Each structure stands twice: as C-alpha cells, then as structure tokens.
Amino acid sequence: MNRRPIRDADGATVGTLYLPPETSADGVLVIASHGHSADHDFLEHERHRQDLELWLAQGWHAATHRQGGEASWGNAQALEGAREAYTAAAALTPVRRVVAFGFSMGGLASLNIAAHRVLPDLLGVVTVNGVVDTHTFTPEHGVWEAYGASSWDDLAERQSGSDPARDDPQRLAGIPILQLAGRADLSVEPARHTEVLAARAATPELLTTVLGAWGHVDGPFSPELIVAWIRARL
C-alpha cells in the first residue's frame, strides 16, 4: 500500500495520505475522520481496511487527519486537521471531488466539515455509526473538554454552529449525505443519532439512511454500497 505521512510545521505526523496504484480521472479524494480513542491510522485497522482498499481500487485517494486528540468531537481542531489533509493531498494529485467520511465520533466531524464548508468541491458526506448528538454521552467521554465547556448548557452554547442535533438544519441543506447505522449499536444508537439527523433534514431528498444489523465495532460496513453511492454522484 502506497502511503505518505502528512506532517505539521514541526515535522510531527498528523495524518496519512493513501495513493492508488493508478489515479482515476474522477479525481476523488476521501477525507476520513476517526472515532473516539482512535488515531489517524484507523483506516488500516480491520474494520475499515476494506473501505480503504476499495477506494484505492477505484483509483481514488484517501487521507486521514489530526483531530486535536482522541476526543475532539468535531471541534475546530478537527476541522483544521481536515483542511490540512486536503492541502497535503492537493499538492500531490489533482483533486476534483471530495468526500467527507467519518466513523462514530468522526461522523460528527464529517458533518461539521460540511456545515462549515471546510473543503472545496464537496461531493457529499458518508457517516458510519456516526455521532450526531454529543449530549447523549458523558463528560468523561471528553465532550465538555473538546469545546472548553463546564456544563451541558455551556456546551450547547459553545458548540453552536457545530451541533447538527440543534443547529439550523439549513447549515447542511443541499449536501448529499449517506448514513450507515447498526441496529445493534448500543454506543451510538440510531434512534439518538442517525434518526435525529434524518428527522431534521432540510433537504431530505439528499439524505440516505441505511440501517444494518451490525453493532458499533463490527465491520466491514457495506464498503460496496459506499462506493456505489459516491459513483452515483460523480
């Protein structure tokens, strides 16, 4: 597998760029955001490796990015990391379309990447067991710390603009979104996350929700379906 480190100004590795054997004319770049307590090598782990390998087989590039720690919850540092990864990838290959992909906590990051218009030429968002509502977790999960909050009310105020469970749904209007969620997921329950986003969608015709039988850390999570969804939008 052909990979290159993405480094910050101090030379520290903050992400990984994966290059296909042959680059497709599609010019697709997948910016992938990891889950809680994971790191930027998460695509190489068993549950996501089939996704990565299938993307590369299409001739697409993929890049992971720093998120300001293991518990960033889609905050400003996570968004800046995505921008950093895009810049590194675009310096090496022509990028025509970008997909924001996120697993679990990374799903929230990918939604916020879209809501804040962090990446140019965004084709859409793909989340797998994606977090929508941080208020379903506990302070011990780092959700207050990620936004510098001291209470739930304080979090609601500080997270405003990066909170798809409470923000104006128009922030995500017009953006194609694919949500994959597992009925057996007890960590990010569909009824408290996936279904919340679906119920609040400003453009429901652009939101596709697929419920599978898996739990939170099963996998792989329908990699062929993800590729077909992306291809249908090229």
Side-chain angles (χ1 to χ4, degrees):
M1 185 178 294
N2 190 0
R3 62 174 71 79
R4 297 188 185 183
I6 297 172
R7 303 186 189 279
D8 65 12
D10 297 322
T13 300
V14 295
T16 304
L17 174 63
Y18 298 93
L19 295 88
E22 295 185 19
T23 299
S24 166
D26 298 333
V28 171
L29 169 66
V30 180
I31 297 287
S33 303
H34 65 71
H36 188 273
S37 300
D39 206 341
H40 55 73
D41 65 349
F42 83 106
L43 286 179
E44 299 183 40
H45 298 175
E46 183 177 359
R47 77 182 67 130
H48 298 294
R49 191 176 181 90
Q50 287 192 30
D51 289 306
L52 174 61
E53 290 177 344
L54 195 55
W55 298 339
L56 297 179
Q58 311 307 306
W60 302 342
H61 290 71
T64 59
H65 63 96
R66 68 163 147 195
Q67 296 189 56
E70 295 181 345
S72 59
W73 298 101
N75 64 10
Q77 291 170 301
L79 306 191
E80 182 55 35
R83 186 180 290 110
E84 191 174 53
Y86 171 85
T87 300
L92 293 173
T93 184
V95 176
R96 296 182 57 233
R97 307 304 300 273
V98 180
V99 176
F101 170 90
F103 170 72
S104 190
M105 181 187 76
L108 177 60
S110 66
L111 291 172
N112 287 342
I113 286 167
H116 286 272
R117 307 302 193 266
V118 170
L119 303 175
D121 304 313
L122 185 68
L123 180 148
V125 173
V126 177
T127 68
V128 176
N129 295 347
V131 169
V132 172
D133 188 358
T134 56
H135 290 240
T136 65
F137 297 92
T138 68
E140 287 71 25
H141 286 100
V143 293
W144 289 6
E145 182 179 357
Y147 288 89
S150 58
S151 68
W152 291 114
D153 287 343
D154 190 27
L155 176 65
E157 182 176 346
R158 291 175 181 266
Q159 196 186 352
S160 179
S162 296
D163 186 357
R166 293 166 185 80
D167 288 342
D168 183 348
Q170 289 295 329
R171 292 180 61 81
L172 290 170
I175 298 172
I177 299 172
L178 171 64
Q179 299 188 104
L180 302 179
R183 294 186 182 90
D185 188 348
L186 301 180
S187 298
V188 183
E189 299 175 46
R192 305 178 76 183
H193 295 275
T194 308
E195 294 173 19
V196 169
L197 191 70
R200 303 185 79 242
T203 46
E205 68 276 12
L206 295 179
L207 189 145
T208 302
T209 300
V210 177
L211 290 175
W214 57 76
H216 191 64
V217 294
D218 300 345
F221 306 99
S222 305
E224 293 84 3
L225 188 156
I226 293 172
V227 166
W229 184 88
I230 294 171
R231 284 213 165 274
R233 281 150 187 83
L234 291 175

